[in-house]
Amino acid sequence: MPVQPVPLGFVFRSRAKEEKASADKAAVNFSKQTRDPQAPKGRPTPKRSEAQSQRRSVASTPTTRKDASKRQREERRQALDRQRQALAGGDERYLPARDKGPVRRFARDWVDSRFNMAEFFLPFAVVILVLSVVRVPSIQALALWLWAVVIVLIVVDAVISGFRLKKRLAERFPDQNRRGAVAYGLMRSLQMRRLRLPKPQVKRGERP
C-alpha cells in the first residue's frame, strides 16, 4: 500500500499565528456581546440637558486673567442693574442688605404712609435763605426765627415718630430682630418722598 504524504504545513504551522487568530476571534466575539452601560463608565449616562449645561459651563469658564476680570465686571454690572430695578420696584430678592426683610419693609411703609416734617426741610430752607438775604432787618430777624421753629418742629416730630414706630414694630414683630429699624425709618423720613429709595409702595394715609 502506498504511503500517503503528510502535509508538512499542518505539522510546522506557526503557533504564533494560531494564537493571533484565536485572539482576533475572541476580540470579535467580545465586541458582538451586549455592553452593560454601567460597567465600563461606572456612572449613568447624563441627560441631554445636563450634558448641554456642562458644555456651556466649560465653554464659559474664563481661560485667562483678562477674561476672568471681564466676566467679574459683567457680573457686577448685572448685579447693580438688578439692584437698581429692585430699588425702583421693591423686589426683595435684589435689594441691598440694609433694605431687606419684613421689619425694614414695614418701617419704610410706615414712614411713607404719613407726612413728616423733616421731608419739607429743603423747601423751608430755600424760603428762609431767600428771606435772609433781603436787606430788611425785620425780615432777616423773621428768617432767624423761622430757622429755629423749623428745627424744633423737625426734632419734635422725629422724637414722636421714633417712639410710635418703635411701638408698632414691637407689636408687629415681637420675635424678630428689630435692631436699627427705628433709625432706618427716621433717616428715610429726612428725605423727600419722591427721592426715597426703595420707592414708596404705599400712599399717604394708607395703613401699612
Side-chain angles (χ1 to χ4, degrees):
M1 173 184 288
V3 179
Q4 298 291 333
V6 179
L8 297 179
F10 177 79
V11 178
F12 299 103
R13 186 169 57 184
S14 173
R15 181 175 295 180
K17 292 183 179 180
E18 292 180 357
E19 292 178 353
K20 181 178 181 181
S22 61
D24 293 341
K25 185 177 180 181
V28 171
N29 293 334
F30 180 76
S31 64
K32 291 182 179 180
Q33 293 179 354
T34 303
R35 180 180 63 83
D36 185 1
Q38 298 287 345
K41 293 188 299 183
R43 58 179 177 83
T45 302
K47 297 180 180 179
R48 179 178 297 179
S49 60
E50 295 177 355
Q52 291 176 352
S53 63
Q54 290 176 359
R55 286 195 296 268
R56 283 196 297 266
S57 63
V58 171
S60 60
T61 302
T63 57
T64 63
R65 181 177 297 180
K66 183 178 180 180
D67 294 338
S69 60
K70 182 179 179 180
R71 182 175 179 181
Q72 290 177 357
R73 288 195 301 270
E74 181 65 21
E75 291 176 352
R76 285 196 298 268
R77 187 188 64 79
Q78 293 178 359
L80 289 175
D81 289 341
R82 288 194 298 265
Q83 188 178 104
R84 188 160 44 247
Q85 294 175 3
L87 290 172
D91 192 345
E92 288 279 346
R93 296 175 299 173
Y94 304 114
L95 286 176
R98 64 181 180 86
D99 298 313
K100 284 185 176 180
V103 176
R104 298 298 176 97
R105 181 180 181 86
F106 180 83
R108 291 197 303 270
D109 293 344
W110 189 87
V111 170
D112 296 337
S113 65
R114 61 189 301 273
F115 287 95
N116 305 277
M117 285 298 303
E119 65 181 292
F120 300 107
F121 173 77
L122 187 59
F124 287 155
V126 173
V127 173
I128 294 173
L129 285 175
V130 171
L131 294 176
S132 63
V133 298
V134 178
R135 296 185 177 276
V136 177
S138 59
I139 295 179
Q140 291 180 345
L142 177 62
L144 292 176
W145 278 104
L146 287 177
W147 272 120
V149 170
V150 168
I151 296 300
V152 170
L153 289 176
I154 290 175
V155 171
V156 172
D157 182 68
V159 172
I160 296 175
S161 298
F163 279 114
R164 293 179 60 187
L165 178 57
K166 184 177 181 179
K167 182 179 179 181
R168 290 295 306 278
L169 288 172
E171 295 173 353
R172 192 72 171 266
F173 307 98
D175 300 326
Q176 297 191 32
N177 183 16
R178 304 183 300 274
R179 183 177 181 180
V182 175
Y184 173 78
L186 292 179
M187 289 299 297
R188 185 175 178 85
S189 68
L190 296 175
Q191 303 169 347
M192 298 179 67
R193 182 182 174 87
R194 68 182 63 182
L195 300 179
R196 293 172 183 171
L197 291 175
K199 293 291 185 181
Q201 303 296 315
V202 297
K203 299 178 180 179
R204 293 191 190 273
E206 184 178 352
R207 187 180 180 87

